[in-house]
Amino acid sequence: MIVEDDPMVAEFNKRYLNQVDGYELTAVCSSVEQALNVLENQRIGLVLLDIFMPGKNGLDLLSQIRESEKEIDVIVISAASDIERIQKALRLGAVDYLIKPFEFDRFNAALSAYRNKSDFIQDKNMLNQEELDYRILHQEEIHLPEELPKVIISRYLKDYMECDTGI
């Protein structure tokens, strides 16, 4: 679902989306209220969300999605480039954030990465640390020395035992 109040921008997003494999557009909404109505009546997996809209803004919608505990992912697509809004969107669980104007390559990368991650975890019940780091969190490999110093091991065990026994 695309939530964008500017019809021309919504059309660009729609055309871009049609060029990315693996997605079917369910709805285009021009307001938070319209989007909430669609979310109540249809199963939506991903929302492409603008922040600046008349009335309630996109962050209000993202907050409501999180409060309702719906299993919906959100990619923010907005001209909002201030750190406060970006941090709020990310803290509310936006899986990506595109700042307008952007190129198709960035849009494609965001949706392709999301699709790849979704496809990967769809059939998983559990992940190991390596899968979580590389496939989900996209973190660089963390290199630990092959043999940890005994001080670190003993401190870890002491901390573990304290946590385990409630001390």
Side-chain angles (χ1 to χ4, degrees), residues 48-108:
L48 304 180
L49 179 64
D50 186 20
I51 290 178
F52 296 127
M53 289 183 277
K56 291 186 176 182
N57 68 41
L59 293 175
D60 295 328
L61 176 60
L62 182 51
S63 291
Q64 288 185 272
I65 290 170
R66 294 301 167 243
E67 287 172 15
S68 69
E69 298 183 6
K70 292 184 180 289
E71 294 182 4
I72 299 170
D73 289 318
V74 173
I75 295 176
V76 173
I77 301 176
S78 179
S81 60
D82 60 284
I83 196 66
E84 292 84 16
R85 284 189 184 94
I86 293 170
Q87 281 186 316
K88 184 170 184 179
L90 295 174
R91 287 178 178 147
L92 287 169
V95 297
D96 206 337
Y97 196 109
L98 282 68
I99 299 172
K100 297 176 189 175
F102 55 87
E103 299 292 325
F104 172 74
D105 289 343
R106 178 61 177 93
F107 183 90
N108 186 38

Side-chain angles (χ1 to χ4, degrees), residues 97-156:
Y97 196 109
L98 282 68
I99 299 172
K100 297 176 189 175
F102 55 87
E103 299 292 325
F104 172 74
D105 289 343
R106 178 61 177 93
F107 183 90
N108 186 38
L111 285 143
S112 296
Y114 175 80
R115 183 190 61 242
N116 291 341
K117 182 169 68 172
S118 295
D119 290 348
F120 175 72
I121 63 175
Q122 186 173 5
D123 297 325
K124 298 279 186 176
N125 290 324
M126 298 180 74
L127 297 174
N128 63 41
Q129 188 68 55
E130 184 177 343
E131 291 171 323
L132 178 62
D133 290 345
Y134 299 128
R135 301 294 298 268
I136 306 301
L137 301 176
H138 306 288
Q139 292 182 354
E140 296 296 320
E141 184 176 357
I142 298 171
H143 294 285
L144 296 174
E146 289 204 22
E147 188 173 313
L148 293 173
K150 291 182 182 184
V151 172
I152 293 175
I153 294 171
S154 66
R155 181 173 291 150
Y156 170 78

Side-chain angles (χ1 to χ4, degrees), residues 154-164:
S154 66
R155 181 173 291 150
Y156 170 78
L157 290 174
K158 179 181 179 285
D159 290 346
Y160 176 78
M161 293 304 288
E162 286 175 359
C163 290
D164 194 43

